[in-house]
Structure formats: C-alpha cells, structure tokens
Amino acid sequence: MALPEIPEFEREWTEFLNEVRTALPGVQLLFGFLLAVPFTAGFHTLGPIVRVVYFGCFLTTTAACAFLIAPSVYHRLHWRRDVQDKEEMLEICNRLAIVGEVLLAVSMTSVVFFVSWFIYPHWIAACVTGLSSGLFFWLWFVLPLRRRGHEQGQPAR
C-alpha cells in the first residue's frame, strides 16, 4: 500500500518548523537567565562596557525570541484558512527565522563575552568572543551559503 503523497508546502512547512524548534528552547533559556542577572548581588558593580554588552545581549535575545516565534504565530493566524499565498508565507517565515538566528548568534557571542569577562583577563575574553563569533559565522552562515553557491553552479540532476 502506497503512502499518501504529502503536498510540497506541507512537507517544507513541517521541516521548517522542526528546524525552528531546535533553536527556540536555547534562546528562551538564555532569555530566562538574562532576566535574572540584574537582580544578582554583583550586578551593580559592573563597569559601563559590561553593562552595555549585557543590555545589548538582553535586547538581541528578546528580538531573537520574537523573530523565532513569529512564524508559529503567523501560521496560527492563518490556521484553517484557505491561504492562497502559501509560498509567500513560507518565504516570509524563512526570512523571520534567519533574522532570529542572526540575532541568536549575536546574543550567544555577547554572553560569551559577558561570562568570559568575569572568569579570565579581559584580553582573553576578547579573544574567546572573537573566536566564538567566527565559529557561529562560519558554521551557521558561510558553510550553508557556500554549499548553496556550489549547488547553483551545478547543472540540474
């Protein structure tokens, strides 16, 4: 017995949501920890650079949550409607998720700086932050975009 064919949109939408679900718990957990930081005993002793980095991290984590959750809300608002623009919906939600992932990379890099600042000399914190930033950039953006570039140059199979 053959399995029923799943429409292309439904397959792509399911894949998309599964991918977003991998990032959401991490960004939400990070957001929860960042909410608690200002209420710790030593927060008031932080210098201005670290406070700016913390606040920037807090804002980018907030924005990452918003962008990564937005596709689910978008889909929910279209639930059980005969949506004619499914391709456009998938493209918009894909862009929202990419922006959310960029913001998440900035947030995580900022947290690396914030934590490293307290553990090691400041020059080490700067180096570790630079390395983590490069790691995110390479793994999350350069590798996939290089592959896409190579695939676009290949003849169709």
Side-chain angles (χ1 to χ4, degrees):
M1 179 179 196
L3 294 173
E5 189 174 316
I6 299 172
E8 186 69 15
F9 171 80
E10 296 302 324
R11 184 189 61 75
E12 287 181 358
W13 184 253
T14 300
E15 286 177 9
F16 171 78
L17 288 179
N18 285 333
E19 291 167 0
V20 170
R21 283 186 194 118
T22 63
L24 270 175
V27 74
Q28 290 172 321
L29 186 64
L30 177 58
F31 184 70
F33 281 123
L34 290 171
L35 286 174
V37 169
F39 303 104
T40 59
F43 186 77
H44 69 282
T45 64
L46 296 177
I49 291 174
V50 181
R51 280 180 184 252
V52 167
V53 170
Y54 165 80
F55 193 59
C57 181
F58 180 71
L59 293 177
T60 55
T61 304
T62 302
C65 283
F67 276 91
L68 290 171
I69 293 171
S72 296
V73 175
Y74 193 110
H75 183 260
R76 182 59 32 209
L77 292 174
H78 284 285
W79 187 66
R80 294 221 173 179
R81 289 186 50 234
D82 186 22
V83 179
Q84 301 300 317
D85 66 339
K86 287 184 177 182
E87 184 65 30
E88 182 182 351
M89 180 173 118
L90 193 56
E91 287 178 18
I92 289 169
C93 289
N94 183 58
R95 287 187 199 114
L96 291 168
I98 290 170
V99 170
E101 291 158 356
V102 169
L103 291 165
L104 179 57
V106 171
S107 298
M108 293 176 73
T109 302
S110 300
V111 163
V112 167
F113 175 80
F114 187 74
V115 171
S116 300
W117 188 266
F118 293 101
I119 299 173
Y120 295 108
H122 300 163
W123 69 271
I124 292 178
C127 290
V128 170
T129 301
L131 288 172
S132 68
S133 176
L135 184 66
F136 283 119
F137 185 69
W138 178 259
L139 293 175
W140 288 11
F141 304 103
V142 172
L143 285 178
L145 291 174
R146 273 184 46 195
R147 180 170 181 203
R148 187 169 84 178
H150 288 294
E151 288 175 354
Q152 289 175 346
Q154 299 290 326
R157 293 182 184 184

